Amino acid sequence: MKIKLTPSLAYFIGLWKERRTVEGIGVKGPEEIQAAFVHSAIENKLAEPGKILAGEESIYFYHTAQRKFFQKVIEEELERFKYKNEYSANFLAGIFDGCGGTTAGGKVYLAGIGKADQMMLSRLGFNLVKIRGAFFITRPAKFLILIKPFTRVHKDNEIFSKITADNIRDIKALRD
């Protein structure tokens, strides 16, 4: 069976990339991240519920062909996610759910992202400032508008509720 990249699978790969486990295809971290991972894996028909294993603070499954495909997507992320579209928005939402967050002051950050992620964000028009190991997005509203429909872990975050219908009309301008 040939695996094809879909927007939903791009989210899964972004989440997995930032929180991957040593064993199998899995994530480590809080329950919210594990739940998003399992939901996405089942939604994309990557694993059956009975095949998903749980470890200490992690959840994973095994599939060698899928893992190779996911690694290839990550290696080619600068070419695959070079436009603001549903694929890159889902991939960024997965990364944000895996290692991002917001401060009390409404600043948006991504902690521990690699050089390829930094380059991709820069090419998509999101400037970053590094402060104490975390990368803060200088214009967070544009970033949040792009990923809001696709994020799963942070969807109840207070900052997302500030994005109203007035902000949503700007989505087309941001993606163009």
Side-chain angles (χ1 to χ4, degrees):
M1 177 175 112
K2 185 170 177 155
I3 304 168
K4 183 178 178 192
L5 185 65
T6 63
S8 180
L9 189 57
Y11 171 86
F12 179 87
I13 295 169
L15 180 64
W16 175 71
K17 177 182 192 256
E18 296 304 327
R19 289 285 188 156
R20 74 174 85 170
T21 58
V22 175
E23 59 275 321
I25 300 170
V27 294
K28 55 187 171 192
E31 286 182 21
E32 301 87 27
I33 291 173
Q34 292 180 28
F37 175 82
V38 169
H39 179 272
S40 187
I42 293 170
E43 175 185 60
N44 288 299
K45 297 181 174 121
L46 300 173
E48 297 174 18
K51 299 284 183 175
I52 298 174
L53 307 168
E56 266 186 56
E57 302 277 327
S58 67
I59 196 153
Y60 57 95
F61 62 93
Y62 292 101
H63 197 291
T64 306
Q66 289 176 358
R67 185 178 179 101
K68 286 180 182 179
F69 176 75
F70 300 158
Q71 288 172 331
K72 184 178 178 191
V73 169
I74 290 170
E75 289 169 8
E76 299 171 349
E77 78 178 76
L78 291 175
E79 291 82 32
R80 287 184 181 259
F81 305 114
K82 62 183 175 181
Y83 301 110
K84 284 184 185 174
N85 57 27
E86 204 171 344
Y87 290 89
S88 62
N90 271 284
F91 186 71
L92 289 173
I95 290 173
F96 180 73
D97 282 349
C99 70
T102 58
T103 65
K107 295 181 180 180
V108 177
Y109 67 89
L110 298 167
I113 59 172
K115 294 217 181 273
D117 293 333
Q118 295 169 40
M119 178 71 77
M120 179 184 58
L121 285 161
S122 177
R123 287 181 179 178
L124 292 173
F126 302 113
N127 297 327
L128 303 172
V129 175
K130 186 175 183 179
I131 302 173
R132 287 186 229 120
F135 291 91
F136 287 82
I137 298 173
T138 58
R139 293 188 177 172
K142 287 183 175 185
F143 180 75
L144 294 174
I145 288 170
L146 181 70
I147 69 166
K148 180 182 179 179
F150 311 111
T151 188
R152 297 179 184 182
V153 175
H154 295 287
K155 65 183 172 200
D156 298 328
N157 193 317
E158 182 181 318
I159 195 88
F160 281 107
S161 65
K162 293 180 181 177
I163 298 175
T164 63
D166 295 332
N167 301 117
I168 299 300
R169 70 173 179 231
D170 298 330
I171 290 176
K172 288 184 180 177
L174 292 174
R175 291 185 180 167
D176 293 337

